[in-house]
Amino acid sequence: EDQVTQSPEALRLQEGESSSLNCSYTVSGLRGLFWYRQDPGKGPEFLFTLYSAGEEKEKERLKATLTKKESFLHITAPKPEDSATYLCAVQDTGGGNKLTFGTGTQLKVEL
Amino acid sequence: ETGVTQTPRHLVMGMTNKKSLKCEQHLGHNAMYWYKQSAKKPLELMFVYSLEERVENNSVPSRFSPECPNSSHLFLHLHTLQPEDSALYLCASSQEYREYEQYFGPGTRLTVT
């Protein structure tokens, strides 16, 4: 059974203080790893898909990386508007498009 | 309208009521999904439709009944729910069932009293 564990559960940063969120996963075969951002009371917003170890993707202050066991979401010089819950999900090669989600990291960036 | 829309955004219903949630996607996608999101728990996949055919049903109680009349619309019919069914219900779509990213709607916050 696929499993996704995200850490930390919650993270408080000062504006400009860079950090990383972790997503550890277990799958029989990885088809893709997805990062989403979710604001309170809203649906998840797609950020990145990573397909193979060593792959990296960037968007503004966010950079996602992937190894065979985990993914990191690096946040460089965060701003208050980056405050949200960040969700990680994996899709295995077993067929279908089922995503297994983690419980997320709640990020708060303060002035 | 763009993306994935859901109505209503908030719903309060009694345990004996019957109500329906509606989802519409404006992305030209062929697959649609219902998820349940409860506090402190991962998103749980409930149903998947591909080209209007149900392809996955993840052991969801029969008090939840999905309907997909065409590839742009998805409904979730609710009847005799329990208080533990209170949650955020999210609809998503993807270009194809076996491929590509899923795009989510804003959700319906359901409270069962």
Side-chain angles (χ1 to χ4, degrees), chain A residues 59-96:
Chain A
K59 181 180 179 179
E60 296 180 359
R61 295 176 291 281
L62 301 177
K63 179 179 174 180
T65 62
L66 181 65
T67 72
K68 289 186 177 180
K69 292 184 179 181
E70 57 192 351
S71 176
F72 290 94
L73 185 65
H74 306 278
I75 304 177
T76 302
K79 297 182 177 182
E81 53 262 41
D82 294 321
S83 298
T85 296
Y86 290 85
L87 301 172
C88 171
V90 297
Q91 180 189 21
D92 68 28
T93 55

mmCIF file of all heavy atoms in Angstrom, chain A residues 59-96:
data_model
loop_
_atom_site.group_PDB
_atom_site.id
_atom_site.type_symbol
_atom_site.label_atom_id
_atom_site.label_comp_id
_atom_site.label_asym_id
_atom_site.label_seq_id
_atom_site.Cartn_x
_atom_site.Cartn_y
_atom_site.Cartn_z
ATOM 1 N N LYS A 59 9.241 27.341 -9.285
ATOM 2 C CA LYS A 59 8.185 28.301 -9.580
ATOM 3 C C LYS A 59 8.287 29.404 -8.549
ATOM 4 O O LYS A 59 8.035 29.172 -7.364
ATOM 5 C CB LYS A 59 6.823 27.624 -9.510
ATOM 6 C CG LYS A 59 5.650 28.534 -9.815
ATOM 7 C CD LYS A 59 4.348 27.745 -9.711
ATOM 8 C CE LYS A 59 3.151 28.637 -9.989
ATOM 9 N NZ LYS A 59 1.877 27.893 -9.922
ATOM 10 N N GLU A 60 8.688 30.567 -9.002
ATOM 11 C CA GLU A 60 8.875 31.730 -8.110
ATOM 12 C C GLU A 60 9.797 31.346 -6.960
ATOM 13 O O GLU A 60 10.943 30.971 -7.176
ATOM 14 C CB GLU A 60 7.520 32.247 -7.641
ATOM 15 C CG GLU A 60 6.674 32.778 -8.792
ATOM 16 C CD GLU A 60 5.318 33.303 -8.349
ATOM 17 O OE1 GLU A 60 5.002 33.255 -7.149
ATOM 18 O OE2 GLU A 60 4.564 33.764 -9.219
ATOM 19 N N ARG A 61 9.331 31.398 -5.721
ATOM 20 C CA ARG A 61 10.190 31.133 -4.565
ATOM 21 C C ARG A 61 10.220 29.649 -4.184
ATOM 22 O O ARG A 61 10.855 29.274 -3.210
ATOM 23 C CB ARG A 61 9.698 31.957 -3.362
ATOM 24 C CG ARG A 61 9.840 33.460 -3.583
ATOM 25 C CD ARG A 61 9.257 34.232 -2.423
ATOM 26 N NE ARG A 61 7.803 34.113 -2.355
ATOM 27 C CZ ARG A 61 6.963 34.786 -3.114
ATOM 28 N NH1 ARG A 61 7.442 35.627 -4.018
ATOM 29 N NH2 ARG A 61 5.660 34.637 -2.979
ATOM 30 N N LEU A 62 9.540 28.812 -4.933
ATOM 31 C CA LEU A 62 9.435 27.391 -4.624
ATOM 32 C C LEU A 62 10.284 26.547 -5.562
ATOM 33 O O LEU A 62 10.322 26.797 -6.774
ATOM 34 C CB LEU A 62 7.975 26.932 -4.732
ATOM 35 C CG LEU A 62 6.960 27.627 -3.843
ATOM 36 C CD1 LEU A 62 5.558 27.093 -4.147
ATOM 37 C CD2 LEU A 62 7.297 27.427 -2.385
ATOM 38 N N LYS A 63 10.933 25.535 -4.974
ATOM 39 C CA LYS A 63 11.705 24.583 -5.771
ATOM 40 C C LYS A 63 11.455 23.198 -5.203
ATOM 41 O O LYS A 63 11.639 22.969 -4.009
ATOM 42 C CB LYS A 63 13.188 24.907 -5.703
ATOM 43 C CG LYS A 63 14.078 23.948 -6.481
ATOM 44 C CD LYS A 63 15.526 24.391 -6.345
ATOM 45 C CE LYS A 63 16.485 23.419 -6.971
ATOM 46 N NZ LYS A 63 17.889 23.873 -6.813
ATOM 47 N N ALA A 64 11.022 22.266 -6.060
ATOM 48 C CA ALA A 64 10.754 20.901 -5.641
ATOM 49 C C ALA A 64 11.830 19.979 -6.182
ATOM 50 O O ALA A 64 12.227 20.097 -7.349
ATOM 51 C CB ALA A 64 9.381 20.457 -6.134
ATOM 52 N N THR A 65 12.280 19.062 -5.323
ATOM 53 C CA THR A 65 13.283 18.082 -5.724
ATOM 54 C C THR A 65 12.799 16.690 -5.355
ATOM 55 O O THR A 65 11.919 16.526 -4.503
ATOM 56 C CB THR A 65 14.626 18.363 -5.023
ATOM 57 O OG1 THR A 65 14.450 18.250 -3.606
ATOM 58 C CG2 THR A 65 15.145 19.750 -5.354
ATOM 59 N N LEU A 66 13.385 15.680 -6.008
ATOM 60 C CA LEU A 66 12.915 14.308 -5.809
ATOM 61 C C LEU A 66 14.093 13.341 -5.729
ATOM 62 O O LEU A 66 15.024 13.408 -6.537
ATOM 63 C CB LEU A 66 12.005 13.900 -6.969
ATOM 64 C CG LEU A 66 11.404 12.498 -6.924
ATOM 65 C CD1 LEU A 66 10.437 12.353 -5.743
ATOM 66 C CD2 LEU A 66 10.696 12.165 -8.226
ATOM 67 N N THR A 67 14.025 12.438 -4.716
ATOM 68 C CA THR A 67 14.936 11.305 -4.653
ATOM 69 C C THR A 67 14.093 10.040 -4.700
ATOM 70 O O THR A 67 12.876 10.110 -4.839
ATOM 71 C CB THR A 67 15.776 11.311 -3.358
ATOM 72 O OG1 THR A 67 14.923 10.963 -2.245
ATOM 73 C CG2 THR A 67 16.394 12.681 -3.107
ATOM 74 N N LYS A 68 14.720 8.884 -4.526
ATOM 75 C CA LYS A 68 13.956 7.631 -4.608
ATOM 76 C C LYS A 68 13.074 7.397 -3.391
ATOM 77 O O LYS A 68 12.218 6.511 -3.413
ATOM 78 C CB LYS A 68 14.915 6.462 -4.796
ATOM 79 C CG LYS A 68 15.543 6.445 -6.187
ATOM 80 C CD LYS A 68 16.364 5.219 -6.407
ATOM 81 C CE LYS A 68 16.912 5.208 -7.841
ATOM 82 N NZ LYS A 68 17.741 4.019 -8.127
ATOM 83 N N LYS A 69 13.289 8.169 -2.341
ATOM 84 C CA LYS A 69 12.498 7.933 -1.124
ATOM 85 C C LYS A 69 11.744 9.160 -0.637
ATOM 86 O O LYS A 69 10.858 9.038 0.200
ATOM 87 C CB LYS A 69 13.426 7.467 0.007
ATOM 88 C CG LYS A 69 14.033 6.107 -0.206
ATOM 89 C CD LYS A 69 14.859 5.698 1.006
ATOM 90 C CE LYS A 69 15.452 4.300 0.812
ATOM 91 N NZ LYS A 69 16.240 3.887 1.994
ATOM 92 N N GLU A 70 12.142 10.356 -1.116
ATOM 93 C CA GLU A 70 11.508 11.558 -0.590
ATOM 94 C C GLU A 70 11.591 12.717 -1.579
ATOM 95 O O GLU A 70 12.357 12.690 -2.538
ATOM 96 C CB GLU A 70 12.142 11.962 0.741
ATOM 97 C CG GLU A 70 13.636 12.195 0.697
ATOM 98 C CD GLU A 70 14.250 12.313 2.087
ATOM 99 O OE1 GLU A 70 13.520 12.391 3.100
ATOM 100 O OE2 GLU A 70 15.495 12.334 2.161
ATOM 101 N N SER A 71 10.770 13.702 -1.268
ATOM 102 C CA SER A 71 10.784 14.943 -2.047
ATOM 103 C C SER A 71 10.873 16.105 -1.069
ATOM 104 O O SER A 71 10.357 16.023 0.055
ATOM 105 C CB SER A 71 9.510 15.060 -2.885
ATOM 106 O OG SER A 71 9.466 16.290 -3.572
ATOM 107 N N PHE A 72 11.526 17.161 -1.510
ATOM 108 C CA PHE A 72 11.613 18.361 -0.704
ATOM 109 C C PHE A 72 10.998 19.527 -1.472
ATOM 110 O O PHE A 72 11.144 19.638 -2.691
ATOM 111 C CB PHE A 72 13.070 18.705 -0.376
ATOM 112 C CG PHE A 72 13.714 17.748 0.574
ATOM 113 C CD1 PHE A 72 14.450 16.665 0.094
ATOM 114 C CD2 PHE A 72 13.580 17.896 1.944
ATOM 115 C CE1 PHE A 72 15.055 15.766 0.964
ATOM 116 C CE2 PHE A 72 14.174 16.999 2.821
ATOM 117 C CZ PHE A 72 14.910 15.932 2.323
ATOM 118 N N LEU A 73 10.313 20.373 -0.726
ATOM 119 C CA LEU A 73 9.831 21.635 -1.288
ATOM 120 C C LEU A 73 10.604 22.738 -0.568
ATOM 121 O O LEU A 73 10.387 22.982 0.615
ATOM 122 C CB LEU A 73 8.321 21.779 -1.076
ATOM 123 C CG LEU A 73 7.681 23.000 -1.718
ATOM 124 C CD1 LEU A 73 7.769 22.917 -3.245
ATOM 125 C CD2 LEU A 73 6.218 23.138 -1.304
ATOM 126 N N HIS A 74 11.527 23.342 -1.313
ATOM 127 C CA HIS A 74 12.358 24.394 -0.744
ATOM 128 C C HIS A 74 11.678 25.742 -0.977
ATOM 129 O O HIS A 74 11.237 26.034 -2.091
ATOM 130 C CB HIS A 74 13.738 24.392 -1.416
ATOM 131 C CG HIS A 74 14.418 23.067 -1.377
ATOM 132 N ND1 HIS A 74 15.132 22.613 -0.283
ATOM 133 C CD2 HIS A 74 14.495 22.083 -2.307
ATOM 134 C CE1 HIS A 74 15.607 21.409 -0.542
ATOM 135 N NE2 HIS A 74 15.252 21.051 -1.763
ATOM 136 N N ILE A 75 11.612 26.527 0.085
ATOM 137 C CA ILE A 75 11.002 27.859 -0.024
ATOM 138 C C ILE A 75 12.094 28.882 0.267
ATOM 139 O O ILE A 75 12.619 28.935 1.394
ATOM 140 C CB ILE A 75 9.828 28.006 0.948
ATOM 141 C CG1 ILE A 75 8.820 26.897 0.687
ATOM 142 C CG2 ILE A 75 9.187 29.376 0.794
ATOM 143 C CD1 ILE A 75 7.643 26.892 1.621
ATOM 144 N N THR A 76 12.402 29.685 -0.732
ATOM 145 C CA THR A 76 13.484 30.666 -0.615
ATOM 146 C C THR A 76 12.904 32.055 -0.363
ATOM 147 O O THR A 76 12.024 32.507 -1.096
ATOM 148 C CB THR A 76 14.326 30.696 -1.902
ATOM 149 O OG1 THR A 76 14.842 29.382 -2.149
ATOM 150 C CG2 THR A 76 15.479 31.685 -1.788
ATOM 151 N N ALA A 77 13.401 32.700 0.701
ATOM 152 C CA ALA A 77 12.947 34.056 1.057
ATOM 153 C C ALA A 77 11.431 34.169 1.019
ATOM 154 O O ALA A 77 10.870 34.949 0.226
ATOM 155 C CB ALA A 77 13.599 35.084 0.140
ATOM 156 N N PRO A 78 10.734 33.385 1.830
ATOM 157 C CA PRO A 78 9.271 33.374 1.772
ATOM 158 C C PRO A 78 8.658 34.709 2.164
ATOM 159 O O PRO A 78 9.244 35.492 2.921
ATOM 160 C CB PRO A 78 8.884 32.279 2.772
ATOM 161 C CG PRO A 78 10.017 32.223 3.723
ATOM 162 C CD PRO A 78 11.248 32.519 2.909
ATOM 163 N N LYS A 79 7.442 34.910 1.650
ATOM 164 C CA LYS A 79 6.652 36.086 1.963
ATOM 165 C C LYS A 79 5.366 35.642 2.653
ATOM 166 O O LYS A 79 4.971 34.479 2.522
ATOM 167 C CB LYS A 79 6.315 36.856 0.683
ATOM 168 C CG LYS A 79 7.538 37.395 -0.052
ATOM 169 C CD LYS A 79 7.137 38.186 -1.273
ATOM 170 C CE LYS A 79 8.369 38.774 -1.962
ATOM 171 N NZ LYS A 79 8.008 39.595 -3.144
ATOM 172 N N PRO A 80 4.678 36.552 3.347
ATOM 173 C CA PRO A 80 3.424 36.164 4.024
ATOM 174 C C PRO A 80 2.419 35.494 3.091
ATOM 175 O O PRO A 80 1.680 34.613 3.523
ATOM 176 C CB PRO A 80 2.903 37.505 4.558
ATOM 177 C CG PRO A 80 4.136 38.309 4.812
ATOM 178 C CD PRO A 80 5.075 37.934 3.688
ATOM 179 N N GLU A 81 2.397 35.880 1.842
ATOM 180 C CA GLU A 81 1.432 35.276 0.904
ATOM 181 C C GLU A 81 1.758 33.817 0.560
ATOM 182 O O GLU A 81 0.955 33.132 -0.080
ATOM 183 C CB GLU A 81 1.313 36.095 -0.382
ATOM 184 C CG GLU A 81 2.610 36.389 -1.088
ATOM 185 C CD GLU A 81 3.147 37.777 -0.763
ATOM 186 O OE1 GLU A 81 3.075 38.191 0.408
ATOM 187 O OE2 GLU A 81 3.662 38.425 -1.695
ATOM 188 N N ASP A 82 2.902 33.337 0.994
ATOM 189 C CA ASP A 82 3.231 31.912 0.818
ATOM 190 C C ASP A 82 2.605 31.053 1.913
ATOM 191 O O ASP A 82 2.680 29.822 1.861
ATOM 192 C CB ASP A 82 4.749 31.710 0.831
ATOM 193 C CG ASP A 82 5.434 32.369 -0.356
ATOM 194 O OD1 ASP A 82 4.880 32.316 -1.471
ATOM 195 O OD2 ASP A 82 6.517 32.960 -0.169
ATOM 196 N N SER A 83 1.990 31.688 2.905
ATOM 197 C CA SER A 83 1.337 30.949 3.977
ATOM 198 C C SER A 83 0.200 30.108 3.414
ATOM 199 O O SER A 83 -0.679 30.635 2.716
ATOM 200 C CB SER A 83 0.797 31.914 5.042
ATOM 201 O OG SER A 83 1.852 32.648 5.623
ATOM 202 N N ALA A 84 0.213 28.832 3.696
ATOM 203 C CA ALA A 84 -0.784 27.888 3.180
ATOM 204 C C ALA A 84 -0.421 26.506 3.715
ATOM 205 O O ALA A 84 0.609 26.333 4.365
ATOM 206 C CB ALA A 84 -0.780 27.866 1.652
ATOM 207 N N THR A 85 -1.261 25.526 3.398
ATOM 208 C CA THR A 85 -0.908 24.135 3.652
ATOM 209 C C THR A 85 -0.395 23.539 2.350
ATOM 210 O O THR A 85 -1.026 23.677 1.303
ATOM 211 C CB THR A 85 -2.113 23.338 4.161
ATOM 212 O OG1 THR A 85 -2.517 23.879 5.431
ATOM 213 C CG2 THR A 85 -1.764 21.867 4.335
ATOM 214 N N TYR A 86 0.754 22.891 2.424
ATOM 215 C CA TYR A 86 1.362 22.283 1.239
ATOM 216 C C TYR A 86 1.179 20.769 1.325
ATOM 217 O O TYR A 86 1.566 20.129 2.297
ATOM 218 C CB TYR A 86 2.829 22.668 1.137
ATOM 219 C CG TYR A 86 2.985 24.135 0.799
ATOM 220 C CD1 TYR A 86 2.962 25.108 1.793
ATOM 221 C CD2 TYR A 86 3.089 24.555 -0.522
ATOM 222 C CE1 TYR A 86 3.051 26.459 1.485
ATOM 223 C CE2 TYR A 86 3.187 25.904 -0.847
ATOM 224 C CZ TYR A 86 3.162 26.850 0.168
ATOM 225 O OH TYR A 86 3.251 28.194 -0.153
ATOM 226 N N LEU A 87 0.551 20.223 0.281
ATOM 227 C CA LEU A 87 0.225 18.804 0.223
ATOM 228 C C LEU A 87 1.107 18.093 -0.787
ATOM 229 O O LEU A 87 1.370 18.626 -1.874
ATOM 230 C CB LEU A 87 -1.242 18.614 -0.184
ATOM 231 C CG LEU A 87 -2.310 19.235 0.711
ATOM 232 C CD1 LEU A 87 -3.681 19.114 0.051
ATOM 233 C CD2 LEU A 87 -2.321 18.577 2.065
ATOM 234 N N CYS A 88 1.501 16.898 -0.427
ATOM 235 C CA CYS A 88 2.280 16.044 -1.316
ATOM 236 C C CYS A 88 1.427 14.820 -1.627
ATOM 237 O O CYS A 88 0.686 14.331 -0.759
ATOM 238 C CB CYS A 88 3.573 15.647 -0.597
ATOM 239 S SG CYS A 88 4.575 14.406 -1.403
ATOM 240 N N ALA A 89 1.509 14.319 -2.844
ATOM 241 C CA ALA A 89 0.752 13.124 -3.231
ATOM 242 C C ALA A 89 1.580 12.299 -4.201
ATOM 243 O O ALA A 89 2.377 12.840 -4.971
ATOM 244 C CB ALA A 89 -0.583 13.513 -3.874
ATOM 245 N N VAL A 90 1.373 10.982 -4.173
ATOM 246 C CA VAL A 90 2.068 10.095 -5.106
ATOM 247 C C VAL A 90 1.067 9.284 -5.905
ATOM 248 O O VAL A 90 -0.031 8.993 -5.453
ATOM 249 C CB VAL A 90 3.047 9.134 -4.390
ATOM 250 C CG1 VAL A 90 4.156 9.914 -3.694
ATOM 251 C CG2 VAL A 90 2.331 8.232 -3.419
ATOM 252 N N GLN A 91 1.480 8.940 -7.093
ATOM 253 C CA GLN A 91 0.701 8.070 -7.957
ATOM 254 C C GLN A 91 1.607 6.902 -8.316
ATOM 255 O O GLN A 91 2.736 7.116 -8.769
ATOM 256 C CB GLN A 91 0.293 8.829 -9.212
ATOM 257 C CG GLN A 91 -0.537 8.025 -10.187
ATOM 258 C CD GLN A 91 -0.725 8.764 -11.499
ATOM 259 O OE1 GLN A 91 0.044 9.653 -11.830
ATOM 260 N NE2 GLN A 91 -1.736 8.370 -12.247
ATOM 261 N N ASP A 92 1.111 5.673 -8.126
ATOM 262 C CA ASP A 92 1.981 4.542 -8.444
ATOM 263 C C ASP A 92 1.732 4.053 -9.857
ATOM 264 O O ASP A 92 0.824 4.502 -10.550
ATOM 265 C CB ASP A 92 1.858 3.435 -7.393
ATOM 266 C CG ASP A 92 0.501 2.741 -7.416
ATOM 267 O OD1 ASP A 92 -0.149 2.675 -8.469
ATOM 268 O OD2 ASP A 92 0.091 2.258 -6.342
ATOM 269 N N THR A 93 2.554 3.105 -10.279
ATOM 270 C CA THR A 93 2.485 2.624 -11.656
ATOM 271 C C THR A 93 1.456 1.531 -11.826
ATOM 272 O O THR A 93 1.355 0.925 -12.883
ATOM 273 C CB THR A 93 3.865 2.083 -12.088
ATOM 274 O OG1 THR A 93 4.276 1.083 -11.140
ATOM 275 C CG2 THR A 93 4.899 3.181 -12.142
ATOM 276 N N GLY A 94 0.665 1.265 -10.768
ATOM 277 C CA GLY A 94 -0.284 0.159 -10.813
ATOM 278 C C GLY A 94 -1.516 0.394 -11.655
ATOM 279 O O GLY A 94 -2.390 -0.450 -11.715
ATOM 280 N N GLY A 95 -1.628 1.530 -12.263
ATOM 281 C CA GLY A 95 -2.788 1.798 -13.103
ATOM 282 C C GLY A 95 -3.747 2.767 -12.447
ATOM 283 O O GLY A 95 -3.718 2.974 -11.245
ATOM 284 N N GLY A 96 -4.596 3.377 -13.247
ATOM 285 C CA GLY A 96 -5.511 4.365 -12.709
ATOM 286 C C GLY A 96 -4.819 5.674 -12.409
ATOM 287 O O GLY A 96 -3.646 5.855 -12.716
#
